[in-house]
Amino acid sequence: MFAHLFRHFKGNKPKDLPEPDEKLALGALLVRVAKSDHNYNVREIRRIDRIFQQLFGLNVVAAAKMRATCERLEEHAPHMDVFSEMIREGVDFDERLGALEAMWQVALADGAERPEELAVVDRAKHALGLSEADNALARASAVRQLDEQG
């Protein structure tokens, strides 16, 4: 289904990395948001792991392994639009909105709104085909999640 999106990986992607699916694409986007300010910290890493546990029913170890794979995918990805397009084409509206909410959770996980992270989230919003109203809804939901979970 996503073969046309991976032409950008040819020659870049190490052979031991899996072909990304919607889950790995979301994970790579979350890592990209967290790394965009050049301060990939423990709070962001924990938030990504928690998102994987909640969304995909993974245990702590499996979530950490998935994050490690996503970190490597993100490192070799040409640009985030590839992953956003995978999500847009592969999942319904509610799941795309959930993906944007997860990105907001990561962007806000360290308690600071950094312009670089906000720019990545905004670009992903457009690539996911979501509106400003969708963005506001996703951000508000992310803030509630962060407040509830600490």
Side-chain angles (χ1 to χ4, degrees), residues 9-145:
F9 278 108
K10 303 246 190 280
N12 290 354
K13 186 174 75 70
K15 291 178 181 22
D16 63 334
L17 280 177
E19 291 296 332
D21 59 10
E22 296 92 349
K23 292 176 183 179
L24 292 175
L26 173 59
L29 282 172
L30 296 178
V31 169
R32 176 97 16 124
V33 168
K35 287 184 170 185
S36 65
D37 65 353
H38 307 289
N39 182 25
Y40 189 44
N41 63 57
V42 170
R43 288 180 288 189
E44 293 166 330
I45 291 168
R46 281 190 206 143
R47 177 54 50 186
I48 292 169
D49 288 356
R50 184 176 281 174
I51 289 167
F52 290 164
Q53 290 168 354
Q54 292 171 339
L55 290 180
F56 309 129
L58 301 177
N59 63 35
V60 174
V61 173
K65 285 181 180 180
M66 182 176 175
R67 178 185 32 81
T69 299
C70 292
E71 289 168 349
R72 293 182 62 227
L73 282 170
E74 185 276 335
E75 181 180 319
H76 295 283
H79 53 77
M80 65 179 265
D81 292 343
V82 171
F83 294 125
S84 298
E85 187 175 332
M86 287 180 65
I87 294 169
R88 185 180 69 236
E89 289 184 4
V91 301
D92 65 18
F93 172 80
D94 289 335
E95 290 174 302
R96 286 185 287 135
L97 191 60
L100 186 61
E101 178 186 331
M103 285 182 255
W104 272 114
Q105 284 184 42
V106 172
L108 301 173
D110 60 4
E113 290 188 35
R114 304 212 190 293
E116 302 91 346
E117 292 173 334
L118 300 177
V120 172
V121 172
D122 188 59
R123 185 169 173 184
K125 172 197 71 173
H126 290 293
L128 291 170
L130 298 172
S131 69
E132 284 300 324
D134 299 329
N135 187 49
L137 183 64
R139 186 183 189 289
S141 184
V143 168
R144 275 193 307 280
Q145 282 276 33

